[in-house]
Amino acid sequence: MKVAIVLGSKSDMMVAEKCKAVLDEFSIEYTLRIASAHRTPETVIEIARMNYDVYIAIAGLSAALPGVIAAHTVSPVIGVPVSGKLNLDSILSMVQMPGGVPVATVGLDRGDNAALLALSILSLKDEKVRKQIIDYRKKMNLKVKEDDNEINR
Amino acid sequence: MKVAIVLGSKSDMMVAEKCKAVLDEFSIEYTLRIASAHRTPETVIEIARMNYDVYIAIAGLSAALPGVIAAHTVSPVIGVPVSGKLNLDSILSMVQMPGGVPVATVGLDRGDNAALLALSILSLKDEKVRKQIIDYRKKMNLKVKEDDNEINR
Amino acid sequence: MKVAIVLGSKSDMMVAEKCKAVLDEFSIEYTLRIASAHRTPETVIEIARMNYDVYIAIAGLSAALPGVIAAHTVSPVIGVPVSGKLNLDSILSMVQMPGGVPVATVGLDRGDNAALLALSILSLKDEKVRKQIIDYRKKMNLKVKEDDNEINR
Amino acid sequence: MKVAIVLGSKSDMMVAEKCKAVLDEFSIEYTLRIASAHRTPETVIEIARMNYDVYIAIAGLSAALPGVIAAHTVSPVIGVPVSGKLNLDSILSMVQMPGGVPVATVGLDRGDNAALLALSILSLKDEKVRKQIIDYRKKMNLKVKEDDNEINR
Amino acid sequence: MKVAIVLGSKSDMMVAEKCKAVLDEFSIEYTLRIASAHRTPETVIEIARMNYDVYIAIAGLSAALPGVIAAHTVSPVIGVPVSGKLNLDSILSMVQMPGGVPVATVGLDRGDNAALLALSILSLKDEKVRKQIIDYRKKMNLKVKEDDNEINR
Amino acid sequence: MKVAIVLGSKSDMMVAEKCKAVLDEFSIEYTLRIASAHRTPETVIEIARMNYDVYIAIAGLSAALPGVIAAHTVSPVIGVPVSGKLNLDSILSMVQMPGGVPVATVGLDRGDNAALLALSILSLKDEKVRKQIIDYRKKMNLKVKEDDNEINR
Amino acid sequence: MKVAIVLGSKSDMMVAEKCKAVLDEFSIEYTLRIASAHRTPETVIEIARMNYDVYIAIAGLSAALPGVIAAHTVSPVIGVPVSGKLNLDSILSMVQMPGGVPVATVGLDRGDNAALLALSILSLKDEKVRKQIIDYRKKMNLKVKEDDNEINR
Amino acid sequence: MKVAIVLGSKSDMMVAEKCKAVLDEFSIEYTLRIASAHRTPETVIEIARMNYDVYIAIAGLSAALPGVIAAHTVSPVIGVPVSGKLNLDSILSMVQMPGGVPVATVGLDRGDNAALLALSILSLKDEKVRKQIIDYRKKMNLKVKEDDNEINR
């Protein structure tokens, strides 16, 4: 399987669902795991060492999860900050990685964009996925145009 | 060529240099372009449509550049927010992309991490790059260990 | 028609309604469009090139819409940041435009003020609109004075 | 004269200079005034009642100046927040105007963009100014393209 | 009458109620007015020139009200920032006054503390008020001690 | 003596100097003390119990000083937040006092405004001070008008 | 008794409950007190001087409580910032203590983590508590693993 | 040895020096290590498993270090956020730990307070350290009083 979705906690499931929905639509296999950088660090390391093609790490608060995964794999790691009372905490914890170990951060609660970024990465070696993204974009483009037409009817 | 580095302005060159240094060390070819989402939008679109394997977009302030590139390509786009008087402006402009068009945001002024993320993406279809990253990581790991030894001498 | 109201997404309609209400009260014709800087960029450029007298661009998150419109027209562009989980993201994305391409940013969700600013701009060449604004201000002034009287009864 | 530039304090002169440079380049007449919403409020009201075509108000900290001008004129008022120890204070004081009295806020210290926005507003009734902006944009566009060429030589 | 409570808008009434409750408890006469720095500026100036002993100005968003009152009176002016979508906007607009014209800012929505601060100021020339504050504090002190006892029963 | 200026640390002296300069200009006697809510809390309480007419408390970081003084006196307490690496820390620590114990917060590093607010409070029972403030304001008003004239020469 | 839990106000009880639940699970005796740095400062000092082994201080807004306790004891003081309209106020008021008087700040509303930190401190001289924490961690670790298994069933 | 000081990077040495100075003054043995949660994670885990009595972890940016140490030890872990371009990143990354794994966060760059907190923790089982802290506090108290006397001479 190509993509690992890792959740810091069961409570992040709603964000993961958006991620799964996109990957399912593209018929891309993925593993879904719950593993916490602070509560089950050995599981996080174990998953990171499996060297999936792409990692999507979803976490809130002091969101160390994507960074810890990135420390144990050279595969690209995408971080999805989860919203809470502050929001800036999870965003900055993911974006502000030190030199040498990047995390590709997407928007707050954006499980969908994490999946699309993963697909975009996979498309570099899989022309079929590339075409699927182009189709997805076209549908999205049409949907906005329909909305545009609708309000002008 | 595989990687396009796009700068929103000549004044972002210092961040681009960190990016170039890493790509040069890995002997990865890249194109360096200055193109502004607001001053030369047609150039931005033109570059985006060339479908490089990976885009690295460096911009400050209301950093629309990576988002506009992402709107015109399905290749992965990495955004590097450039520091200024506020810092949160460029970070949030890049991270908070709407659903459907992701930008992979790295840390403030982190041209180095943008390059490493690009390499990590390229490594999925190029085993040699993967090995180079592993070596890079080892050197980095050794450097920290030497620092650790040095202060304990 | 003189004014174009452009929404980044159908979900921004509630802010657009405040805008429409004011323009309707002034009997000013306007076009209402949904166009996204990231999902239908070609529509955005097309609308921008129509050179309406004034543009009102309504968008949330990484609100690139007014900036991208401003890049393709020399008419004044008013940006209305839409509230969300962070709020500072849409405000700063609009306010912090680089040199050369200004966006006139109004307050969070202030579709009403965007319309009034558009009218104020149009009033420079249309004395009737100027008088309408003066009347509008008087009514507003009276309304506050009535509120003032009411609580002192 | 068509444009009034109002500074909240002599110390905001550096931001006003950027504004003057653009207006001078376009040969647009302007009045430059120092008037404080808190120290010389009667002067502010007096200037506001002169009904210039466009107002540019430059102020830092709790930047009430553009809002107070806007309260006494129906002409468009552009606010330029001046940087300081916090930056968010002057930006939010200008952007977050209550319903009924808009201020067109541009970026931190962006005297240049305030001038360009003023010109864009004036261009609605002065075709010559419109052409000048188009030329200005072309030069700006060429400058970025030259920068782009230069780094690729 | 000694105290003027000025609200920027009828919608700030809930914060004013907390203010009134304290002044009523102390049997201090006050005037309650609705006056907006941007919609009825002439009323604001008129009230400011009446030179009440103390002003309490309640406002949200770009809360210019206390500053504009302070510009037209030498009596002490207390500002109460009202909560909204951002909160920092009203706080910083009140706190960050320029040199020469202070506003005494209290906490977000703290109509009660504004009244107590006003009473504390009046107590300097009215020993009776001073004694009332001491009694108020004692009751408050006792209330906390009762809460403390209660949870330990 | 009527006014007590209390500094949380010797390093806040530069802000206190602005305060002293104003009080000296008005020939108002004051006591200058260094006392820390965390390092010499007994001194803080001792000074608070002396019941000066007005307290000015200057502190940075987690600026508990004005609040602790306010807890031990019913006289008005003015807080001056001192700038540092964050700035929001000292501002919010002072502004956001709980119900019952207000602190009158002025702007970051605004020792001058703290003194003027203290004088404004004292003016309620001392007509001479009131006249001095009116004169001070006039001079300030003239100074801005001179600046205004100067740039138009 | 070893641990004192001090609440700035009865309204912070919900955060204290999380704290109590953990201490009860570990069968650690504690005292629960309501005492306010601003309303009952003498009670705060009295409790601080009792020199409990560890203090847990729970407070919102301008959360001076843990700092004032720390000023009167040399025992470790843990601060729990309580959420409200701003959140950054209570966090920064606790974290940003001046040199010499530290407060050990935990996350927003994290009564549970405050208790666990207190236990971790007590474990240094009580091997039994150390074992209990290890067991607690194991249970937590197992719980996450069960969640992980469950979503993969 | 009782205390481990762990630096995320050699560049954090200046903050560590403040920490060392206090521990040296108290004649407390400590180990100084450089170990990065992202570059040498295995060293971090190794150090965490040595179960020092107290850990002091110093890190900037996305400061995962104290959290990762806390995940592998039940000893108390103190986090010192290091200042940078944002400051809120390192503070929030440390403070906002998830339930179950607390980090005791002190102020930005406050190596001194981290050491004092560590000593305060050690003092629970070492009466000598307790007395040393009391002496340290007295000296600090005297120093402030001398400063107080000096400015009043």
Side-chain angles (χ1 to χ4, degrees), chain F residues 34-90:
Chain F
I34 296 179
S36 160
H38 300 114
R39 300 183 215 192
T40 58
E42 75 290 356
T43 312
V44 173
I45 295 173
E46 187 191 296
I47 298 172
R49 290 199 175 137
M50 285 178 193
N51 286 320
Y52 283 84
D53 277 3
V54 186
Y55 287 87
I56 294 171
I58 301 170
L61 301 169
S62 167
L65 185 63
V68 172
I69 294 177
H72 292 91
T73 183
V74 298
S75 296
V77 178
I78 299 165
V80 190
V82 176
S83 60
K85 284 167 193 154
L86 284 176
N87 294 327
L88 275 184
D89 49 3
S90 54

Side-chain angles (χ1 to χ4, degrees), chain H residues 46-152:
Chain H
E46 186 191 299
I47 298 172
R49 290 200 174 137
M50 286 178 191
N51 285 319
Y52 284 84
D53 277 1
V54 186
Y55 287 86
I56 295 171
I58 302 170
L61 301 169
S62 167
L65 184 63
V68 172
I69 294 178
H72 293 91
T73 183
V74 298
S75 297
V77 178
I78 299 166
V80 190
V82 175
S83 60
K85 283 168 193 154
L86 284 176
N87 294 329
L88 275 184
D89 49 3
S90 55
I91 292 178
L92 297 182
S93 296
M94 287 190 183
V95 169
Q96 287 293 80
M97 288 292 289
V101 188
V103 162
T105 308
V106 297
L108 207 59
D109 297 331
R110 286 249 85 106
D112 50 347
N113 274 2
L116 288 166
L117 180 57
L119 291 165
S120 164
I121 289 168
L122 293 176
S123 78
L124 292 191
K125 61 172 187 179
D126 187 341
E127 187 59 24
K128 209 190 79 200
V129 174
R130 188 170 187 89
K131 279 178 187 150
Q132 282 176 301
I133 303 177
I134 292 170
D135 284 350
Y136 183 92
R137 290 276 184 105
K138 275 185 192 153
K139 264 185 269 177
M140 195 171 71
N141 183 291
L142 276 179
K143 180 70 186 63
V144 177
K145 282 179 180 161
E146 279 169 24
D147 287 347
D148 185 26
N149 286 333
E150 200 184 314
I151 57 160
N152 284 305

Side-chain angles (χ1 to χ4, degrees), chain G:
Chain G
M1 268 179 294
K2 286 162 179 157
V3 179
I5 307 173
V6 191
L7 286 74
S9 147
K10 207 178 163 178
S11 62
D12 301 328
M13 203 62 206
M14 256 172 50
V15 176
E17 291 297 348
K18 298 196 224 173
C19 197
K20 287 168 62 180
V22 173
L23 294 176
D24 285 341
E25 190 180 337
F26 279 70
S27 306
I28 294 289
E29 277 182 285
Y30 56 85
T31 306
L32 185 67
R33 299 295 301 270
I34 296 179
S36 160
H38 301 114
R39 300 182 217 194
T40 57
E42 74 290 356
T43 313
V44 173
I45 295 174
E46 187 191 298
I47 298 171
R49 290 200 174 136
M50 286 179 191
N51 285 319
Y52 284 83
D53 276 3
V54 185
Y55 287 87
I56 294 172
I58 301 171
L61 301 169
S62 166
L65 185 63
V68 172
I69 293 177
H72 292 92
T73 183
V74 298
S75 297
V77 179
I78 299 166
V80 190
V82 176
S83 62
K85 284 166 192 153
L86 284 176
N87 293 329
L88 274 184
D89 49 3
S90 55
I91 292 177
L92 297 182
S93 295
M94 287 190 182
V95 168
Q96 286 293 79
M97 289 291 290
V101 187
V103 162
T105 307
V106 296
L108 208 59
D109 297 330
R110 288 247 85 105
D112 50 346
N113 274 3
L116 288 166
L117 181 57
L119 291 164
S120 164
I121 290 169
L122 293 176
S123 78
L124 292 191
K125 61 172 186 180
D126 187 341
E127 186 59 24
K128 209 190 79 201
V129 174
R130 187 170 189 90
K131 279 176 188 152
Q132 283 177 299
I133 304 177
I134 293 170
D135 284 350
Y136 183 92
R137 290 276 184 103
K138 275 184 192 153
K139 265 185 269 176
M140 195 171 72
N141 184 291
L142 276 180
K143 179 73 184 61
V144 177
K145 282 179 179 160
E146 279 168 26
D147 287 348
D148 184 26
N149 286 332
E150 201 184 314
I151 57 160
N152 284 306
R153 239 172 261 158

